[in-house]
Amino acid sequence: MEFFCYHRDRSGSTPLRIQMVEEHWTYMDQYAATMIARGPTFTSDETMTGSVHILDLPDATAARAFAFEEPGYQAGAYRDVLLRRWHNTLGRTMWDFDDRRSDADRYLVLGLSEPEAEPTELPRGDDLIACGPLLSDDGSMVLGAAVLLQAASAGAAQQVLSPDSFASFEVHQWDFGGRSD
């Protein structure tokens, strides 16, 4: 089962996150083989605002353990956690992405659906890094969509999802995460 996990930073938690970076990476190393995508979100001045992890785990219990046993979560660095089942519509990982546009920034776009909304068709394209629907715990309802992509601007990134299909949007600057080699 694939899951989308977004730990949103508590205001002022950047020093704690920096202090705990090795603990975070050591924890994530345990999940490296299951990762579809990962990386930080941040503001235009590079202040961290959260941490995205999309991974394939055995079940919802394992996903909750992943999200809530993370060292930064345990230390109080995060304000909240968005944890949803997810489906990898591109069928690849971020490491398979062919980065052809070095001039473009990367973004996380979340589209949140109205209750009882009809599922919408998700985008396709060369600028998509990861894409999939956010699903209910049992996988029977589409609650939104999460897309990681390259785009010229936040406004251009938001256009990847149809405004008529979602009740609200979030756009966050994002980049590939993990250890630097």
Side-chain angles (χ1 to χ4, degrees), residues 26 53 61 76 81 106 112 121 127 138 142 150 170:
T26 298
H53 295 91
T61 300
V81 178
R106 295 185 180 115
L112 305 175
E121 187 171 322
D127 289 337
D138 66 1
V142 175
Q150 280 192 163
E170 296 179 23

Side-chain angles (χ1 to χ4, degrees), residues 15-61:
L16 177 59
R17 295 260 326 264
I18 291 169
Q19 175 187 339
M20 298 190 69
V21 72
E22 184 57 37
E23 285 179 73
H24 170 77
W25 285 341
T26 298
Y27 182 77
M28 293 303 156
D29 287 346
Q30 300 170 63
Y31 294 93
T34 69
M35 290 281 176
I36 296 166
R38 68 185 289 182
T41 58
F42 48 91
T43 63
S44 60
D45 69 357
E46 308 242 343
T47 300
M48 289 187 290
T49 60
S51 189
V52 171
H53 295 91
I54 303 173
L55 59 171
D56 192 352
L57 295 169
D59 54 38
T61 300

Side-chain angles (χ1 to χ4, degrees), residues 42-95:
F42 48 91
T43 63
S44 60
D45 69 357
E46 308 242 343
T47 300
M48 289 187 290
T49 60
S51 189
V52 171
H53 295 91
I54 303 173
L55 59 171
D56 192 352
L57 295 169
D59 54 38
T61 300
R64 283 189 284 279
F66 167 82
F68 299 114
E69 291 174 11
E70 193 277 336
Y73 180 84
Q74 290 293 309
Y78 303 117
R79 177 188 74 195
D80 59 50
V81 178
L82 173 61
L83 180 64
R84 287 282 175 221
R85 280 190 57 188
W86 189 77
H87 174 68
N88 186 357
T89 61
L90 301 178
R92 65 175 189 233
T93 71
M94 73 179 205
W95 296 275

Side-chain angles (χ1 to χ4, degrees), residues 109-178:
V109 179
L110 296 172
L112 305 175
S113 302
E114 291 284 358
E116 308 297 323
E118 290 295 316
T120 186
E121 187 171 322
L122 294 175
R124 298 262 179 209
D126 291 340
D127 289 337
L128 299 183
I129 298 165
C131 179
L134 298 171
L135 304 169
S136 60
D137 288 348
D138 66 1
S140 67
M141 289 180 16
V142 175
L143 304 173
V147 181
L148 298 173
L149 75 153
Q150 280 192 163
S153 68
Q158 182 172 327
Q159 298 307 310
V160 74
L161 295 176
S162 169
D164 297 331
S165 300
F166 297 93
S168 64
F169 288 93
E170 296 179 23
V171 179
H172 305 272
Q173 287 185 282
W174 171 85
D175 208 353
F176 293 144

